[in-house]
Amino acid sequence: TLFRSFECARDLVKYIKTHHGDYFNIGVACYPEGHPNRIGADGKCDEENMKAEIAYLKEKIEAGATLAITQLFYDTDIYLKFVERCRAEGITVPIIPGMLPMVSYAGLQRMVSLCKTALPEELKASVESLKENEEGFKQMGIDYCTAQCRAILAAGIDHFHFYTLNQTHSTLEVLKGMGYYKSN
């Protein structure tokens, strides 16, 4: 049958590799803070669940995935520690950070709730102080994402995935801030 259902991403990766060999590069999702289903009421993924998260990522890679893209995050240290832990477990494929510039207070609240993403304390203060200032909030989101990208670059990671959610202006501003985009 042409259409199949798969219980998990690992099974889909195995299917693609079995039927198409190395014709495709296969990217899979990963979760520096833990999959939302593994995050507890305290907003954190405990050590046992994080080990399981990394073990499952390794299974997807061993099945044939050639890269992993993270869920969005706003705590750069969590991402960098996640990459370190993955490397220590033998995961060598690129772990591409999923970046989402904040563009509105309501949008940020939706995404944080959906993804169970943590906000560092200093970011929470900025978010709250600008929640009624639409343009100021958007600029803060651009500046914060640019700083995150610079910190990630400084750590030796030079690939990014941007979740634009049809808000390309902010992403272009981040790229300009990093020196990667020059408007004519």
Side-chain angles (χ1 to χ4, degrees):
T1 165
L2 181 60
F3 296 101
R4 294 184 44 162
S5 62
F6 299 93
E7 291 208 19
C8 60
R10 179 197 58 230
D11 295 344
L12 174 59
V13 172
K14 284 181 182 177
Y15 179 85
I16 293 169
K17 290 302 277 187
T18 298
H19 290 85
H20 301 286
D22 292 332
Y23 186 78
F24 295 104
N25 279 313
I26 303 170
V28 294
C30 63
Y31 304 87
E33 297 175 85
H35 187 281
N37 292 343
R38 294 185 191 269
I39 295 175
D42 64 352
K44 299 193 182 307
C45 185
D46 64 32
E47 184 60 21
E48 182 181 331
N49 277 310
M50 186 52 78
K51 284 181 179 178
E53 191 67 48
I54 292 171
Y56 180 57
L57 174 58
K58 189 170 184 177
E59 288 178 25
K60 293 188 283 187
I61 302 306
E62 289 170 348
T66 54
L67 63 100
I69 299 174
T70 73
Q71 177 170 273
L72 67 100
F73 58 89
Y74 292 106
D75 189 327
T76 305
D77 290 338
I78 288 174
Y79 164 75
L80 294 173
K81 287 175 186 163
F82 176 74
V83 172
E84 254 180 52
R85 288 185 71 170
C86 288
R87 299 297 181 237
E89 292 299 321
I91 298 171
T92 60
V93 300
I95 300 173
I96 300 172
M99 310 306 293
L100 177 63
M102 298 168 275
V103 297
S104 73
Y105 182 80
L108 176 65
Q109 296 307 311
R110 266 191 314 278
M111 293 308 289
V112 165
S113 175
L114 177 69
C115 300
K116 297 185 179 177
T117 301
L119 298 180
E121 289 304 317
E122 68 276 5
L123 179 58
K124 283 182 188 176
S126 295
V127 163
E128 290 303 316
S129 72
L130 291 168
K131 68 181 180 182
E132 302 295 329
N133 177 346
E134 188 176 323
E135 287 307 308
F137 190 95
K138 192 177 286 188
Q139 187 60 52
M140 180 270 303
I142 291 165
D143 294 343
Y144 190 84
C145 189
T146 302
Q148 279 190 289
C149 291
R150 286 184 178 147
I152 292 166
L153 278 169
I157 297 165
D158 61 359
H159 291 82
F160 298 91
H161 173 83
F162 287 93
Y163 297 104
T164 62
L165 305 178
N166 295 322
Q167 300 288 325
T168 57
H169 171 78
S170 292
T171 300
L172 288 174
E173 290 302 313
V174 169
L175 294 172
K176 284 179 191 175
M178 293 170 58
Y180 287 127
Y181 178 83
K182 299 192 179 11
S183 56
N184 297 334

